[in-house]
mmCIF file of all heavy atoms in Angstrom:
data_model
loop_
_atom_site.group_PDB
_atom_site.id
_atom_site.type_symbol
_atom_site.label_atom_id
_atom_site.label_comp_id
_atom_site.label_asym_id
_atom_site.label_seq_id
_atom_site.Cartn_x
_atom_site.Cartn_y
_atom_site.Cartn_z
ATOM 1 N N ALA A 769 -1.818 -16.627 8.283
ATOM 2 C CA ALA A 769 -1.462 -15.394 7.561
ATOM 3 C C ALA A 769 -1.183 -15.707 6.105
ATOM 4 O O ALA A 769 -1.593 -14.959 5.203
ATOM 5 C CB ALA A 769 -0.272 -14.697 8.220
ATOM 6 N N GLY A 770 -0.465 -16.805 5.857
ATOM 7 C CA GLY A 770 -0.196 -17.221 4.486
ATOM 8 C C GLY A 770 -1.442 -17.593 3.720
ATOM 9 O O GLY A 770 -1.618 -17.242 2.548
ATOM 10 N N GLU A 771 -2.364 -18.279 4.400
ATOM 11 C CA GLU A 771 -3.655 -18.619 3.774
ATOM 12 C C GLU A 771 -4.445 -17.342 3.452
ATOM 13 O O GLU A 771 -5.040 -17.233 2.386
ATOM 14 C CB GLU A 771 -4.497 -19.495 4.709
ATOM 15 C CG GLU A 771 -3.981 -20.919 4.889
ATOM 16 C CD GLU A 771 -4.808 -21.656 5.925
ATOM 17 O OE1 GLU A 771 -6.058 -21.555 5.884
ATOM 18 O OE2 GLU A 771 -4.208 -22.337 6.786
ATOM 19 N N ALA A 772 -4.408 -16.401 4.367
ATOM 20 C CA ALA A 772 -5.120 -15.133 4.179
ATOM 21 C C ALA A 772 -4.545 -14.389 2.990
ATOM 22 O O ALA A 772 -5.290 -13.770 2.209
ATOM 23 C CB ALA A 772 -5.071 -14.282 5.438
ATOM 24 N N GLU A 773 -3.235 -14.446 2.819
ATOM 25 C CA GLU A 773 -2.625 -13.758 1.697
ATOM 26 C C GLU A 773 -3.108 -14.363 0.378
ATOM 27 O O GLU A 773 -3.360 -13.629 -0.603
ATOM 28 C CB GLU A 773 -1.102 -13.801 1.758
ATOM 29 C CG GLU A 773 -0.472 -13.016 0.615
ATOM 30 C CD GLU A 773 1.021 -13.058 0.576
ATOM 31 O OE1 GLU A 773 1.627 -14.027 1.096
ATOM 32 O OE2 GLU A 773 1.609 -12.125 0.020
ATOM 33 N N GLN A 774 -3.251 -15.672 0.337
ATOM 34 C CA GLN A 774 -3.730 -16.308 -0.881
ATOM 35 C C GLN A 774 -5.178 -15.923 -1.199
ATOM 36 O O GLN A 774 -5.557 -15.848 -2.369
ATOM 37 C CB GLN A 774 -3.606 -17.839 -0.764
ATOM 38 C CG GLN A 774 -2.201 -18.320 -0.635
ATOM 39 C CD GLN A 774 -1.287 -17.837 -1.754
ATOM 40 O OE1 GLN A 774 -1.630 -17.921 -2.933
ATOM 41 N NE2 GLN A 774 -0.157 -17.258 -1.384
ATOM 42 N N LEU A 775 -5.958 -15.656 -0.171
ATOM 43 C CA LEU A 775 -7.359 -15.252 -0.367
ATOM 44 C C LEU A 775 -7.540 -13.766 -0.571
ATOM 45 O O LEU A 775 -8.591 -13.315 -1.016
ATOM 46 C CB LEU A 775 -8.165 -15.694 0.869
ATOM 47 C CG LEU A 775 -8.227 -17.195 1.151
ATOM 48 C CD1 LEU A 775 -8.762 -17.460 2.556
ATOM 49 C CD2 LEU A 775 -9.076 -17.879 0.098
ATOM 50 N N SER A 776 -6.522 -13.019 -0.239
ATOM 51 C CA SER A 776 -6.572 -11.564 -0.295
ATOM 52 C C SER A 776 -6.206 -11.021 -1.657
ATOM 53 O O SER A 776 -5.478 -11.662 -2.422
ATOM 54 C CB SER A 776 -5.601 -10.995 0.764
ATOM 55 O OG SER A 776 -5.509 -9.613 0.664
ATOM 56 N N ASP A 777 -6.690 -9.839 -1.950
ATOM 57 C CA ASP A 777 -6.284 -9.131 -3.178
ATOM 58 C C ASP A 777 -4.986 -8.373 -2.947
ATOM 59 O O ASP A 777 -4.435 -7.807 -3.867
ATOM 60 C CB ASP A 777 -7.370 -8.130 -3.591
ATOM 61 C CG ASP A 777 -8.648 -8.820 -4.015
ATOM 62 O OD1 ASP A 777 -8.573 -9.940 -4.537
ATOM 63 O OD2 ASP A 777 -9.739 -8.228 -3.809
ATOM 64 N N HIS A 778 -4.521 -8.335 -1.723
ATOM 65 C CA HIS A 778 -3.349 -7.539 -1.331
ATOM 66 C C HIS A 778 -2.166 -8.473 -1.009
ATOM 67 O O HIS A 778 -2.328 -9.471 -0.326
ATOM 68 C CB HIS A 778 -3.698 -6.711 -0.087
ATOM 69 C CG HIS A 778 -2.580 -5.896 0.434
ATOM 70 N ND1 HIS A 778 -2.079 -4.829 -0.244
ATOM 71 C CD2 HIS A 778 -1.865 -6.004 1.575
ATOM 72 C CE1 HIS A 778 -1.074 -4.305 0.453
ATOM 73 N NE2 HIS A 778 -0.934 -4.989 1.558
ATOM 74 N N ARG A 779 -0.979 -8.153 -1.514
ATOM 75 C CA ARG A 779 0.227 -8.917 -1.234
ATOM 76 C C ARG A 779 1.039 -8.218 -0.141
ATOM 77 O O ARG A 779 1.117 -6.992 -0.117
ATOM 78 C CB ARG A 779 1.105 -9.057 -2.494
ATOM 79 C CG ARG A 779 0.437 -9.893 -3.560
ATOM 80 C CD ARG A 779 0.291 -11.350 -3.123
ATOM 81 N NE ARG A 779 -0.804 -11.998 -3.806
ATOM 82 C CZ ARG A 779 -1.978 -12.313 -3.242
ATOM 83 N NH1 ARG A 779 -2.235 -12.048 -1.987
ATOM 84 N NH2 ARG A 779 -2.910 -12.910 -3.924
ATOM 85 N N PHE A 780 1.626 -9.004 0.727
ATOM 86 C CA PHE A 780 2.398 -8.481 1.841
ATOM 87 C C PHE A 780 3.467 -9.471 2.248
ATOM 88 O O PHE A 780 3.374 -10.641 1.904
ATOM 89 C CB PHE A 780 1.477 -8.151 3.030
ATOM 90 C CG PHE A 780 0.626 -9.319 3.455
ATOM 91 C CD1 PHE A 780 1.045 -10.211 4.427
ATOM 92 C CD2 PHE A 780 -0.622 -9.507 2.867
ATOM 93 C CE1 PHE A 780 0.266 -11.293 4.810
ATOM 94 C CE2 PHE A 780 -1.421 -10.578 3.255
ATOM 95 C CZ PHE A 780 -0.979 -11.468 4.217
ATOM 96 N N GLU A 781 4.441 -8.997 2.982
ATOM 97 C CA GLU A 781 5.495 -9.855 3.508
ATOM 98 C C GLU A 781 5.067 -10.365 4.877
ATOM 99 O O GLU A 781 4.561 -9.602 5.703
ATOM 100 C CB GLU A 781 6.793 -9.055 3.626
ATOM 101 C CG GLU A 781 7.948 -9.849 4.171
ATOM 102 C CD GLU A 781 9.218 -9.035 4.340
ATOM 103 O OE1 GLU A 781 9.247 -7.848 3.937
ATOM 104 O OE2 GLU A 781 10.197 -9.598 4.865
ATOM 105 N N ILE A 782 5.287 -11.654 5.113
ATOM 106 C CA ILE A 782 5.021 -12.255 6.432
ATOM 107 C C ILE A 782 6.352 -12.409 7.151
ATOM 108 O O ILE A 782 7.292 -13.013 6.618
ATOM 109 C CB ILE A 782 4.301 -13.594 6.297
ATOM 110 C CG1 ILE A 782 2.956 -13.419 5.618
ATOM 111 C CG2 ILE A 782 4.151 -14.265 7.672
ATOM 112 C CD1 ILE A 782 2.272 -14.730 5.209
ATOM 113 N N VAL A 783 6.436 -11.876 8.351
ATOM 114 C CA VAL A 783 7.616 -11.999 9.204
ATOM 115 C C VAL A 783 7.195 -12.836 10.406
ATOM 116 O O VAL A 783 6.425 -12.389 11.231
ATOM 117 C CB VAL A 783 8.142 -10.610 9.649
ATOM 118 C CG1 VAL A 783 9.368 -10.792 10.539
ATOM 119 C CG2 VAL A 783 8.432 -9.728 8.439
ATOM 120 N N ALA A 784 7.701 -14.066 10.478
ATOM 121 C CA ALA A 784 7.317 -14.984 11.550
ATOM 122 C C ALA A 784 8.310 -14.897 12.694
ATOM 123 O O ALA A 784 9.505 -14.683 12.483
ATOM 124 C CB ALA A 784 7.240 -16.409 11.033
ATOM 125 N N PHE A 785 7.806 -15.056 13.904
ATOM 126 C CA PHE A 785 8.668 -15.037 15.079
ATOM 127 C C PHE A 785 8.133 -16.020 16.111
ATOM 128 O O PHE A 785 6.969 -16.428 16.069
ATOM 129 C CB PHE A 785 8.745 -13.620 15.690
ATOM 130 C CG PHE A 785 7.496 -13.184 16.378
ATOM 131 C CD1 PHE A 785 7.346 -13.334 17.749
ATOM 132 C CD2 PHE A 785 6.473 -12.604 15.662
ATOM 133 C CE1 PHE A 785 6.172 -12.933 18.377
ATOM 134 C CE2 PHE A 785 5.313 -12.186 16.275
ATOM 135 C CZ PHE A 785 5.169 -12.362 17.652
ATOM 136 N N ASP A 786 8.994 -16.378 17.039
ATOM 137 C CA ASP A 786 8.633 -17.284 18.148
ATOM 138 C C ASP A 786 8.714 -16.466 19.439
ATOM 139 O O ASP A 786 9.826 -16.129 19.895
ATOM 140 C CB ASP A 786 9.578 -18.452 18.214
ATOM 141 C CG ASP A 786 9.265 -19.437 19.340
ATOM 142 O OD1 ASP A 786 8.386 -19.127 20.193
ATOM 143 O OD2 ASP A 786 9.900 -20.488 19.387
ATOM 144 N N PRO A 787 7.576 -16.099 20.053
ATOM 145 C CA PRO A 787 7.606 -15.253 21.259
ATOM 146 C C PRO A 787 8.239 -15.930 22.474
ATOM 147 O O PRO A 787 8.577 -15.234 23.422
ATOM 148 C CB PRO A 787 6.150 -14.933 21.505
ATOM 149 C CG PRO A 787 5.407 -16.067 20.889
ATOM 150 C CD PRO A 787 6.225 -16.485 19.677
ATOM 151 N N ASP A 788 8.414 -17.224 22.411
ATOM 152 C CA ASP A 788 8.978 -17.929 23.569
ATOM 153 C C ASP A 788 10.495 -18.104 23.462
ATOM 154 O O ASP A 788 11.104 -18.727 24.320
ATOM 155 C CB ASP A 788 8.300 -19.284 23.746
ATOM 156 C CG ASP A 788 6.840 -19.106 24.102
ATOM 157 O OD1 ASP A 788 6.526 -18.216 24.910
ATOM 158 O OD2 ASP A 788 6.003 -19.847 23.544
ATOM 159 N N ARG A 789 11.080 -17.534 22.431
ATOM 160 C CA ARG A 789 12.523 -17.627 22.240
ATOM 161 C C ARG A 789 13.090 -16.223 22.136
ATOM 162 O O ARG A 789 12.954 -15.572 21.114
ATOM 163 C CB ARG A 789 12.820 -18.420 20.970
ATOM 164 C CG ARG A 789 14.218 -18.909 20.884
ATOM 165 C CD ARG A 789 14.435 -19.857 19.716
ATOM 166 N NE ARG A 789 14.263 -19.141 18.470
ATOM 167 C CZ ARG A 789 13.800 -19.688 17.358
ATOM 168 N NH1 ARG A 789 13.473 -20.937 17.329
ATOM 169 N NH2 ARG A 789 13.677 -18.970 16.250
ATOM 170 N N ALA A 790 13.668 -15.716 23.188
ATOM 171 C CA ALA A 790 14.145 -14.340 23.235
ATOM 172 C C ALA A 790 15.257 -14.088 22.217
ATOM 173 O O ALA A 790 15.271 -13.096 21.529
ATOM 174 C CB ALA A 790 14.605 -13.961 24.639
ATOM 175 N N GLU A 791 16.190 -14.988 22.123
ATOM 176 C CA GLU A 791 17.315 -14.843 21.179
ATOM 177 C C GLU A 791 16.964 -15.611 19.901
ATOM 178 O O GLU A 791 16.509 -16.736 19.969
ATOM 179 C CB GLU A 791 18.598 -15.400 21.791
ATOM 180 C CG GLU A 791 19.082 -14.646 23.008
ATOM 181 C CD GLU A 791 19.491 -13.216 22.704
ATOM 182 O OE1 GLU A 791 20.074 -12.961 21.648
ATOM 183 O OE2 GLU A 791 19.202 -12.345 23.560
ATOM 184 N N GLY A 792 17.206 -15.005 18.784
ATOM 185 C CA GLY A 792 16.949 -15.690 17.518
ATOM 186 C C GLY A 792 15.492 -15.998 17.316
ATOM 187 O O GLY A 792 15.138 -17.069 16.826
ATOM 188 N N ASP A 793 14.617 -15.075 17.702
ATOM 189 C CA ASP A 793 13.174 -15.318 17.695
ATOM 190 C C ASP A 793 12.526 -15.323 16.302
ATOM 191 O O ASP A 793 11.366 -15.564 16.161
ATOM 192 C CB ASP A 793 12.459 -14.291 18.572
ATOM 193 C CG ASP A 793 12.611 -12.856 18.071
ATOM 194 O OD1 ASP A 793 13.254 -12.629 17.031
ATOM 195 O OD2 ASP A 793 12.074 -11.969 18.743
ATOM 196 N N GLY A 794 13.284 -15.061 15.262
ATOM 197 C CA GLY A 794 12.719 -14.945 13.915
ATOM 198 C C GLY A 794 12.772 -13.507 13.454
ATOM 199 O O GLY A 794 13.079 -13.219 12.311
ATOM 200 N N LEU A 795 12.486 -12.616 14.360
ATOM 201 C CA LEU A 795 12.640 -11.180 14.024
ATOM 202 C C LEU A 795 14.121 -10.855 13.855
ATOM 203 O O LEU A 795 14.474 -10.010 13.045
ATOM 204 C CB LEU A 795 12.042 -10.278 15.110
ATOM 205 C CG LEU A 795 10.528 -10.233 15.223
ATOM 206 C CD1 LEU A 795 10.107 -9.254 16.321
ATOM 207 C CD2 LEU A 795 9.888 -9.810 13.918
ATOM 208 N N ASP A 796 14.986 -11.546 14.597
ATOM 209 C CA ASP A 796 16.433 -11.280 14.496
ATOM 210 C C ASP A 796 16.949 -11.523 13.090
ATOM 211 O O ASP A 796 17.699 -10.706 12.558
ATOM 212 C CB ASP A 796 17.205 -12.148 15.488
ATOM 213 C CG ASP A 796 17.032 -11.708 16.918
ATOM 214 O OD1 ASP A 796 16.749 -10.525 17.153
ATOM 215 O OD2 ASP A 796 17.216 -12.564 17.808
ATOM 216 N N GLY A 797 16.514 -12.613 12.465
ATOM 217 C CA GLY A 797 16.956 -12.894 11.094
ATOM 218 C C GLY A 797 16.431 -11.865 10.109
ATOM 219 O O GLY A 797 17.140 -11.428 9.203
ATOM 220 N N TRP A 798 15.193 -11.474 10.293
ATOM 221 C CA TRP A 798 14.582 -10.447 9.440
ATOM 222 C C TRP A 798 15.316 -9.109 9.613
ATOM 223 O O TRP A 798 15.639 -8.429 8.630
ATOM 224 C CB TRP A 798 13.102 -10.319 9.777
ATOM 225 C CG TRP A 798 12.362 -9.262 9.045
ATOM 226 C CD1 TRP A 798 12.021 -9.283 7.712
ATOM 227 C CD2 TRP A 798 11.834 -8.052 9.576
ATOM 228 N NE1 TRP A 798 11.301 -8.130 7.405
ATOM 229 C CE2 TRP A 798 11.187 -7.355 8.537
ATOM 230 C CE3 TRP A 798 11.846 -7.466 10.858
ATOM 231 C CZ2 TRP A 798 10.561 -6.139 8.702
ATOM 232 C CZ3 TRP A 798 11.217 -6.249 11.024
ATOM 233 C CH2 TRP A 798 10.575 -5.597 9.972
ATOM 234 N N LEU A 799 15.636 -8.759 10.855
ATOM 235 C CA LEU A 799 16.359 -7.520 11.100
ATOM 236 C C LEU A 799 17.772 -7.565 10.508
ATOM 237 O O LEU A 799 18.204 -6.621 9.863
ATOM 238 C CB LEU A 799 16.449 -7.253 12.606
ATOM 239 C CG LEU A 799 15.135 -6.889 13.287
ATOM 240 C CD1 LEU A 799 15.304 -6.923 14.808
ATOM 241 C CD2 LEU A 799 14.631 -5.550 12.819
ATOM 242 N N ALA A 800 18.462 -8.681 10.719
ATOM 243 C CA ALA A 800 19.846 -8.803 10.236
ATOM 244 C C ALA A 800 19.900 -8.680 8.723
ATOM 245 O O ALA A 800 20.851 -8.134 8.176
ATOM 246 C CB ALA A 800 20.468 -10.117 10.691
ATOM 247 N N GLY A 801 18.897 -9.161 8.045
ATOM 248 C CA GLY A 801 18.858 -9.078 6.584
ATOM 249 C C GLY A 801 18.587 -7.687 6.055
ATOM 250 O O GLY A 801 18.709 -7.422 4.856
ATOM 251 N N ARG A 802 18.222 -6.783 6.957
ATOM 252 C CA ARG A 802 17.855 -5.421 6.534
ATOM 253 C C ARG A 802 18.688 -4.321 7.186
ATOM 254 O O ARG A 802 18.982 -3.324 6.541
ATOM 255 C CB ARG A 802 16.393 -5.177 6.843
ATOM 256 C CG ARG A 802 15.499 -5.918 5.854
ATOM 257 C CD ARG A 802 14.073 -5.532 6.078
ATOM 258 N NE ARG A 802 13.229 -5.944 4.965
ATOM 259 C CZ ARG A 802 12.943 -7.192 4.659
ATOM 260 N NH1 ARG A 802 13.405 -8.171 5.357
ATOM 261 N NH2 ARG A 802 12.152 -7.469 3.635
ATOM 262 N N VAL A 803 19.010 -4.456 8.464
ATOM 263 C CA VAL A 803 19.636 -3.334 9.183
ATOM 264 C C VAL A 803 20.837 -3.720 10.034
ATOM 265 O O VAL A 803 21.398 -2.859 10.708
ATOM 266 C CB VAL A 803 18.619 -2.569 10.053
ATOM 267 C CG1 VAL A 803 17.583 -1.891 9.211
ATOM 268 C CG2 VAL A 803 17.999 -3.475 11.102
ATOM 269 N N ASP A 804 21.258 -4.945 10.022
ATOM 270 C CA ASP A 804 22.367 -5.383 10.870
ATOM 271 C C ASP A 804 22.141 -4.916 12.302
ATOM 272 O O ASP A 804 21.074 -5.109 12.836
ATOM 273 C CB ASP A 804 23.694 -4.909 10.314
ATOM 274 C CG ASP A 804 23.969 -5.525 8.927
ATOM 275 O OD1 ASP A 804 23.683 -6.736 8.770
ATOM 276 O OD2 ASP A 804 24.429 -4.810 8.046
ATOM 277 N N ASP A 805 23.111 -4.265 12.911
ATOM 278 C CA ASP A 805 22.974 -3.850 14.300
ATOM 279 C C ASP A 805 22.694 -2.362 14.440
ATOM 280 O O ASP A 805 22.880 -1.786 15.519
ATOM 281 C CB ASP A 805 24.226 -4.215 15.100
ATOM 282 C CG ASP A 805 24.358 -5.715 15.299
ATOM 283 O OD1 ASP A 805 23.316 -6.372 15.398
ATOM 284 O OD2 ASP A 805 25.488 -6.211 15.377
ATOM 285 N N ASP A 806 22.266 -1.733 13.367
ATOM 286 C CA ASP A 806 22.005 -0.277 13.411
ATOM 287 C C ASP A 806 20.747 0.003 14.218
ATOM 288 O O ASP A 806 19.635 -0.244 13.773
ATOM 289 C CB ASP A 806 21.871 0.289 11.999
ATOM 290 C CG ASP A 806 21.736 1.805 11.986
ATOM 291 O OD1 ASP A 806 21.753 2.424 13.085
ATOM 292 O OD2 ASP A 806 21.648 2.372 10.900
ATOM 293 N N ALA A 807 20.921 0.510 15.431
ATOM 294 C CA ALA A 807 19.796 0.820 16.319
ATOM 295 C C ALA A 807 19.575 2.323 16.414
ATOM 296 O O ALA A 807 19.019 2.825 17.367
ATOM 297 C CB ALA A 807 20.011 0.234 17.693
ATOM 298 N N THR A 808 20.005 3.050 15.375
ATOM 299 C CA THR A 808 19.794 4.485 15.350
ATOM 300 C C THR A 808 18.307 4.780 15.087
ATOM 301 O O THR A 808 17.725 4.245 14.141
ATOM 302 C CB THR A 808 20.631 5.135 14.226
ATOM 303 O OG1 THR A 808 21.989 4.745 14.373
ATOM 304 C CG2 THR A 808 20.513 6.659 14.241
ATOM 305 N N ASP A 809 17.728 5.581 15.903
ATOM 306 C CA ASP A 809 16.323 5.962 15.768
ATOM 307 C C ASP A 809 16.188 6.796 14.481
ATOM 308 O O ASP A 809 16.895 7.769 14.302
ATOM 309 C CB ASP A 809 15.888 6.793 16.981
ATOM 310 C CG ASP A 809 14.409 7.059 17.043
ATOM 311 O OD1 ASP A 809 13.768 7.262 15.973
ATOM 312 O OD2 ASP A 809 13.881 7.122 18.150
ATOM 313 N N PRO A 810 15.291 6.419 13.566
ATOM 314 C CA PRO A 810 15.154 7.160 12.320
ATOM 315 C C PRO A 810 14.497 8.532 12.480
ATOM 316 O O PRO A 810 14.590 9.372 11.592
ATOM 317 C CB PRO A 810 14.312 6.265 11.431
ATOM 318 C CG PRO A 810 13.536 5.392 12.382
ATOM 319 C CD PRO A 810 14.427 5.239 13.579
#
């Protein structure tokens, strides 16, 4: 994905996760940095 971004004309954020780790999978850190524990449906 990072290589593709370098070749692409479009910039985007890459959010990496580990599907074999239920807790702290990588998405957790990304979520905590943006929404903490707010699970309110928008």
Side-chain angles (χ1 to χ4, degrees):
E771 290 175 44
E773 184 183 25
Q774 296 306 311
L775 297 167
S776 173
D777 294 329
H778 178 68
R779 294 293 154 253
F780 54 91
E781 179 181 356
I782 299 169
V783 179
F785 72 95
D786 180 353
D788 294 320
R789 197 172 66 211
E791 296 294 322
D793 63 1
L795 288 181
D796 288 335
W798 177 71
L799 291 169
R802 287 186 165 68
V803 295
D804 297 319
D805 289 329
D806 185 0
T808 306
D809 189 325

